[in-house]
Amino acid sequence: MNNPYPYSDTNKRYYTFDYYTKHRFGGKCGKAPLDIGCGCPNKDGTCGTGGCIYCRDGSRSAVGESIREQYDHAAAVAARKWKNLAGMIPYFQSGTNTYGDPARLTRAWEEAAALEGAVMIGIGTRADCLGSDVIEALCHLAERIPVTVELGLQTAHDETARRINRGYDHARFLDGYTRLKTAADTLNGDSRKGYGRLSVGIHLINGLPGENRTMMLETAEITASLQPDLVKIHLLHILRETPMAALYEKGLYTPLERDEYCEIVCRQLEILPEDTVIGRITGDGMAEDLIAPQWSRRKTDVANTIDKMQAAENLWQGKACK
Ligand code: SF4
């Protein structure tokens, strides 16, 4: 195998999440998506209404099930799928998981941290919901168990952010990101990237309406300059009963083709730092709600295409990182 990428023991030329958990926790880890009914300030009128135009979050809420019930269910599914898991990662996924009463959030996070087999906590949220009290609570939690906070940037372009009704501009993102990253750096000391107590991740979405390849690569450049511990690259999914679905059905939006998407991801990986963990290289939408692009259902096909494109052109993560 002729693979020049250093953080890989397979044919992968990017820093997979499996490689990360193997080296940090000793093996593959399962994820337990959790919904604690946090809601979103972009839906309840606090900073906007209607939410991001592609969002179907909360349409099948698990609220009513306790954290333990949701976790046990996910852990049982993961154990059937993979043998000898090194642990589970409770992931506060639905809605904005740093929004609301900090005392209630802290209780939920602490409950998840105490679950048997939990090795790390994931918390998905918005950069405009990171008050100093919340950051303090996250640091406190991270003293007990490793924590990764994942922020939805999606795009660095303000005109796109307005078009998708994200509810904050890039300056606001940078403010939240920087305050959280500074707190994390202080807590982590000289730990290797991604291996500290508190890690910070950024989510990107390719194929947003009005964006071209150049804009998506610019978003990757700006993301690279922020030195996140983790990046998740998503494909825009058109889901039923969303404003994006209406645009698509009127012929006002054309999704990316598979190879077009894969080529953009290869270039973004080249731009990102070599030691940033890549948590995802395509979307993981709700299959039953997916209208388009249908090719995205074949996730293995997408991953294989990216592998082949990288190998054919001898590309790897970080090769073009400035
Ligand atoms: S921030 Fe997240 S939960 Fe809120 S509307 Fe946007 S995608 Fe949905």
Side-chain angles (χ1 to χ4, degrees), residues 26-238:
K28 187 171 181 68
C29 295
K31 279 204 190 135
L34 301 175
D35 183 345
I36 57 166
C38 276
C40 178
N42 198 21
K43 290 184 170 177
D44 67 11
T46 302
C47 71
T49 53
C52 307
I53 63 172
Y54 46 77
C55 180
R56 225 175 117 67
D57 190 74
S59 61
R60 258 183 291 284
S61 172
V63 172
E65 284 179 33
S66 68
I67 287 174
R68 172 169 286 285
E69 283 167 336
Q70 294 178 60
Y71 180 83
D72 285 349
H73 174 73
V77 171
R80 278 198 298 276
K81 207 163 163 190
W82 298 290
K83 296 287 164 234
N84 306 319
L85 283 176
M88 288 291 296
I89 302 174
Y91 178 39
F92 291 85
Q93 181 172 30
S94 296
T96 301
N97 292 283
T98 57
Y99 181 56
D101 174 17
R104 173 183 176 261
L105 294 169
T106 302
R107 275 197 303 278
W109 301 338
E110 295 283 346
E111 184 181 341
L115 290 164
E116 193 184 339
V119 292
M120 180 165 84
I121 301 289
I123 296 175
T125 191
R126 295 166 56 94
D128 61 347
C129 292
L130 291 170
S132 54
D133 49 353
V134 166
I135 292 179
E136 201 177 306
L138 289 167
C139 289
H140 189 67
L141 177 70
E143 280 164 5
R144 172 173 179 181
I145 187 170
V147 175
T148 300
V149 181
E150 302 182 18
L151 305 177
L153 171 62
Q154 329 307 9
T155 175
H157 298 281
D158 277 342
E159 68 268 35
T160 313
R162 279 192 294 276
R163 196 175 293 122
I164 64 174
N165 195 38
R166 191 180 63 186
Y168 56 83
D169 61 13
H170 191 62
R172 191 92 198 265
F173 175 87
L174 280 181
D175 172 64
Y177 178 87
T178 307
R179 285 185 296 101
L180 179 64
K181 189 75 164 66
T182 302
D185 288 347
T186 304
L187 191 67
N188 296 337
D190 57 4
S191 304
R192 189 177 144 200
K193 191 194 278 183
Y195 284 68
R197 305 299 305 170
L198 180 58
S199 302
V200 185
I202 293 179
H203 287 215
L204 310 180
I205 299 182
N206 287 332
L208 291 170
E211 290 225 334
N212 57 29
R213 178 181 183 277
T214 303
M215 294 169 83
M216 293 178 237
L217 298 191
E218 282 168 355
T219 290
E221 295 268 9
I222 289 165
T223 301
S225 73
L226 297 174
Q227 292 286 328
D229 298 286
L230 169 119
V231 167
K232 285 185 175 172
I233 303 176
H234 299 263
L235 163 71
L236 180 66
H237 281 148
I238 313 297

Side-chain angles (χ1 to χ4, degrees), residues 288-307:
E288 59 274 38
D289 292 327
L290 180 71
I291 297 175
Q294 287 295 324
W295 58 260
S296 68
R297 291 181 184 277
R298 296 183 297 277
K299 280 186 272 181
T300 309
D301 193 25
V302 175
N304 289 343
T305 303
I306 289 168
D307 291 346

